[in-house]
Structure formats: structure tokens, C-alpha cells
Amino acid sequence: MKNGHISFWMDRDLDGLQTKRPRLEADLETDVCIVGAGFTGLWTAYLLQRHDPALRIHILESDFVGHGASGRNDGWVSALLSANRRKLAAASGRDAVIEFQRTMIEAVDEIIDILSEENIYAHQVKGGHLRVARTPAALARQEASQRSALDWGYRPEHITMLSRQEADERIRVDGTVGGMFNTTTARIDPSLLVTGLARLVEHRGAVIHENTRVAAVAAHTARTAQGQRVRAPYVLVCTEAYTGQIDGMPKRRIAPVNSSIVITEPLTDSQWSTIGWNDDECFGDSAHVFTYAQRTADGRIAIGGRGKPYRYGSRTDHAGEVDDKTVQLLHSRLTEYFPDAGEIPLAHAWCGVIGVTRDWCAFVDLDQQTGIGTAGGYAGHGVTTAFVAANTLADRICGVDSRYSRLPWFGHRPPLWEPEPARWIGITSMYGLFGVADTQEERANAERTAPIARFAAKITGMD
């Protein structure tokens, strides 16, 4: 089993799709400077080019295209909202949050349509996603989640509750007591998407400089670690969980939280028949420390979860290596779900970081005076959220009044995370308490959510 190497997706031979691009060697002036060649930066470049094909756009990437979360995630193109709805509604109104949710739902189809129009094949298929409940308490949370979703913009045909038999007809997970099916989710191969977007924006005239780490930003200026300066009316910092590493950006607005994934060797036809996972829906559970998975186009299961949630001082890794305990945890979870499938060997393990704000609400910001724009706090739902954020940035830059430019996350300023060691203690304790709650619920086959989980959600601002 490989460990690290960025991710399984990025480590494969993609027939030359991972193009090596030269780093920036001299100062330059351009119309838009984008920091970060991940989903947010590349989608923003693409959308700006659609608004104004004559724009000069330069993208500065510290490593290579897709090195961060965009090349490491599990490939869910979901409409899940990266926000605490009640908190956002308190500031912007209920109708604005409902419109936000509906925009996210429609964005899934917009992404698929653009990929088709631009001939980007990233194994995209809209198969929805199944969440199983393995305790009565988890099922009760699902029922509450469905009611809330319908109150905040989903339609009844989007989310349905499933009996145990109905859930098993989709995927036979051991111990299932029921489930919830969401039709709005699609699956993609993240590496094929991010590299495809990079080639697309380059074909349209954008320039990507790899191995060009931006050390600082100031009004209309980005400065690299090597000392080059890029001047532009707009400097867009699209680095999500890595944003705090750049001077000139808030250091504690986003906490980088770890997420780990393992992927199996291709399963046999007999194993797939035993599991009953015959379609292309994504899969997850409704535990507090939840897992998420997809069936890949080449017949593997990629399954992820948090593992060790946070590195002291908001540190991030480079190569994506996963500790043995987390690998074993994810593998054992897979075995718990599908015990009758026999041995399912792992092929690769990796990890990355997702960006989480203190109030669990994503944001987009653009200061017209300094030209500095940014987005972040996707909290693990970044594939679709990055596209929506890019639309917000592009429309704001081009002065377009649209549903994207009016979304309530624009200008939202999340409170800063606490300084260390309080930040490490808080995040680590939260996930630890959620793990204890899962254990309590599973052992007791509990009908109600463990009080310790409600306590953790309340003190950390998730509630």
C-alpha cells in the first residue's frame, strides 16, 4: 500500500495531464493575479474569461496544480451547504439562506453541464448519495436533518427517508436500521477535474506558474517567496485551508482540519454482488465522526474520515502521509460495513486539510479598495462550494448583479479562532467527544443522541 504521494488520484499516470509549468522568474503586471491553482482559483479564472476573454490572468501556485485539497478529496459534488443556516439567517434573513441552498443544488448540474460543454471527462455521474443510520439515534438525526433540509430550500424529491430494506436495496451495509437518500450529489475524479480545468484556462490565455509560493499580499500586490512582485487591480487569494500561511491575510480565520482517505484495490464482481453497490451513488454514514465514500469508475472504494483532526499551530502536511492508526481505523470501518465481502485490500492512503471557520460558515470577500479577494471555510464540501465561490468573486469583479453576487456569504467575517493552545485543545477535544458519543450510541443501540455530542456541538459553535 502506498502512503502519501499527495493522493491516489494525483499519483496515477494521467497520460501527461500533470503538466510541469515553470515558476515565476520576474516581476510582472497583469489584470488579475490568482493565488492558488485549485478548484476556487481555476474556476474563478474560467468564469472571468467567460465574462471578459481579454483579461490577463496569472495564477501563482506554490507547488503544482491540484497539490492541495482539490487533488486529494473524495470527489463528492454535493449541494451540502458550508454554513450554519441559523447563524447566516440571523445576519442576512431566512430567504437569503434558502436562495443560497437552492443555488448550491443547481450548481451541481451547472458543473456537470460545463464539463460536458468543455470536453472535460472526470468520471462525472450524478448518482446521488446514500447515508445510512446504524443506530436509532442516528436515524433520528437523519429524520431531523430531512425536516431541516426541506425547511431551508430542498424539495421533497431531493431527500427521502429509506427503510432498512430500501437502504439495503441500494448498498447492503451491516447493521443498517434505515437511511436517507439525497438525489442532488454527483461523483467525480478530483484529479481529472482540477487538471482539466487548468488546461482549459491555459487554452483560453491564462498563465499558471507552479513552484511559485506567495509569501505575502498587500494592496494590488502579491510577493513571492523568491521576491518577485505581481501587481494587479485584483489579487485573489484562493488557498482555502492554507490561507493563514500568507502574510497580509488573517492568521486565525480558517483552521486547517485533517481529513484522511484510503482507497482499495479493485473489488471482484463477487464482492460487488455481495455488497449490492451496483450504481454510482456516493455513500456515507450518520455517525458524529462520519465517513464518506464513493465507488470509483475503475471499481474501487475510496473511503475517508477525519483521523487525527488537527496539527498544533495550524500546521499542514506536504506529501499527505497518514498515520498507521488512522489507516487501520478506516480499513476496519470498511470491514464493519461490508463483513461478508471478505478481505478488501488497500492500495493507497493519503490525507489533506479542509478549511473550517470558527462559526462553521464559509465566506467570500472582496475589498474593492485594495483589490484583495478571498474565499474559504468550505468545511469539507469544497468541490461545489468552490465553484459557487468562484462565481461570486467573478461576478463581483465584473460588476455583474446575479444570484451569485447577492449570496449572503459575501462580506461575512467569521470570528477568529482562539490562539494556541486553546485552538488545538478545542478542535481535538470536539472530535474526541464525538468519537466517545459514537461509541456510547453504538454500544447501547441508543435511541437519542448522546448528551456528550450535543455538548461538543454547543461549545464549539456547530450547534
Side-chain angles (χ1 to χ4, degrees):
M1 186 198 72
K2 287 188 177 180
N3 195 334
H5 297 264
I6 309 306
S7 72
F8 169 79
W9 321 112
M10 296 297 292
D11 191 57
R12 289 174 312 173
D13 178 8
L14 293 179
D15 297 325
L17 296 184
Q18 294 181 36
T19 305
K20 292 184 178 180
R21 301 167 175 89
R23 72 178 185 180
L24 182 66
E25 298 289 358
D27 294 354
L28 65 83
E29 293 189 5
T30 188
D31 296 319
V32 181
C33 173
I34 296 175
V35 183
F39 288 147
T40 306
L42 293 171
W43 276 123
T44 302
Y46 170 76
L47 294 163
L48 287 171
Q49 289 170 328
R50 292 212 308 192
H51 282 307
D52 184 356
L55 280 175
R56 297 171 300 162
I57 300 174
H58 284 75
I59 303 172
L60 311 183
E61 166 58 43
S62 64
D63 290 282
F64 51 81
V65 167
H67 179 271
S70 298
R72 308 189 193 201
N73 65 84
D74 200 45
W76 283 38
V77 189
S78 82
L80 300 173
L81 196 63
S82 302
N84 184 308
R85 297 184 182 109
R86 290 184 291 103
K87 291 181 180 179
L88 210 55
S92 303
R94 177 180 173 81
D95 289 345
V97 179
I98 290 174
E99 177 64 13
F100 194 176
Q101 181 63 79
R102 290 174 177 167
T103 299
M104 289 290 297
I105 293 170
E106 293 174 17
V108 175
D109 290 325
E110 289 181 32
I111 291 171
I112 293 173
D113 289 345
I114 290 173
L115 298 188
S116 178
E117 293 168 9
E118 301 293 355
N119 296 312
I120 297 176
Y121 182 57
H123 300 159
Q124 62 267 25
V125 58
K126 189 178 181 184
H129 79 255
L130 169 69
R131 283 202 185 277
V132 299
R134 302 175 74 216
T135 66
L139 186 61
R141 287 195 295 273
Q142 287 187 344
E143 292 168 345
S145 176
Q146 185 206 32
R147 291 192 297 270
S148 177
L150 295 177
D151 284 344
W152 290 98
Y154 281 91
R155 295 195 299 270
E157 62 268 27
H158 291 148
I159 301 183
T160 55
M161 295 301 299
L162 304 179
S163 67
R164 175 179 179 175
Q165 179 179 351
E166 290 170 329
D168 283 347
E169 286 173 356
R170 288 192 170 275
I171 305 175
R172 288 190 286 275
V173 178
D174 189 64
T176 294
V177 299
M180 182 170 65
F181 188 69
N182 185 322
T183 65
T184 65
T185 302
R187 176 209 74 193
I188 53 97
D189 177 315
S191 177
L192 291 176
L193 176 54
V194 73
T195 54
L197 286 173
R199 296 194 315 277
L200 177 60
V201 300
E202 287 178 311
H203 177 72
R204 293 183 169 215
V207 178
I208 301 175
H209 295 282
E210 295 182 326
N211 296 310
T212 303
R213 183 173 69 85
V214 170
V217 296
H220 311 295
T221 305
R223 178 176 58 79
T224 74
Q226 291 78 34
Q228 293 85 18
R229 294 181 183 274
V230 179
R231 302 185 188 280
Y234 292 100
V235 176
L236 309 179
V237 180
C238 301
T239 50
E240 232 269 294
Y242 301 88
T243 301
Q245 299 174 5
I246 300 173
D247 289 344
M249 301 301 295
K251 299 299 182 187
R252 292 187 280 119
R253 180 179 289 181
I254 297 178
V257 174
N258 288 331
S259 192
S260 301
I261 298 177
V262 296
I263 194 166
T264 69
E265 297 288 357
L267 273 65
T268 66
D269 291 343
S270 175
Q271 287 175 312
W272 284 121
S273 177
T274 300
I275 294 170
W277 192 346
N278 299 315
D279 296 317
D280 293 302
E281 61 264 68
C282 296
F283 160 74
D285 66 17
S286 291
H288 300 289
V289 185
F290 62 92
T291 55
Y292 48 90
Q294 67 149 287
R295 173 176 177 165
T296 68
D298 61 349
R300 305 167 187 265
I301 297 176
I303 182 169
R306 290 292 174 262
K308 290 185 177 180
Y310 178 76
R311 290 182 172 89
Y312 189 89
S314 291
R315 291 182 292 112
T316 58
D317 81 301
H318 186 78
E321 292 187 2
V322 185
D323 62 284
D324 291 342
K325 183 178 180 180
T326 298
V327 173
Q328 293 167 6
L329 176 66
L330 291 172
H331 197 197
S332 66
R333 183 63 74 174
L334 189 66
T335 302
E336 288 175 20
Y337 290 149
F338 311 120
D340 296 332
E343 178 64 21
I344 305 177
L346 300 182
H348 203 137
W350 69 93
C351 68
V353 288
I354 61 175
V356 178
T357 63
R358 186 62 180 84
D359 61 1
W360 297 85
C361 291
F363 64 91
V364 178
D365 198 17
L366 179 66
D367 187 327
Q368 291 288 355
Q369 185 172 7
T370 65
I372 298 175
T374 189
Y378 303 159
H381 307 313
V383 182
T384 311
T385 309
F387 173 78
V388 176
N391 273 278
T392 302
L393 282 171
D395 286 357
R396 283 278 175 171
I397 288 170
C398 296
V400 176
D401 183 26
S402 70
R403 67 186 304 181
Y404 288 109
S405 66
R406 294 191 298 270
L407 290 177
W409 65 354
F410 182 78
H412 174 67
R413 299 293 177 87
L416 298 181
W417 282 94
E418 293 80 1
E420 299 290 21
R423 184 162 71 252
W424 181 87
I425 293 171
I427 296 173
T428 304
S429 298
M430 177 188 72
Y431 283 104
L433 292 174
F434 282 155
V436 171
D438 286 333
T439 299
Q440 290 179 349
E441 291 178 9
E442 290 168 5
R443 286 178 177 174
N445 200 28
E447 296 184 358
R448 296 183 180 181
T449 294
I452 196 169
R454 293 195 294 269
F455 171 74
K458 188 173 184 63
I459 64 171
T460 55
M462 291 185 69
D463 188 358

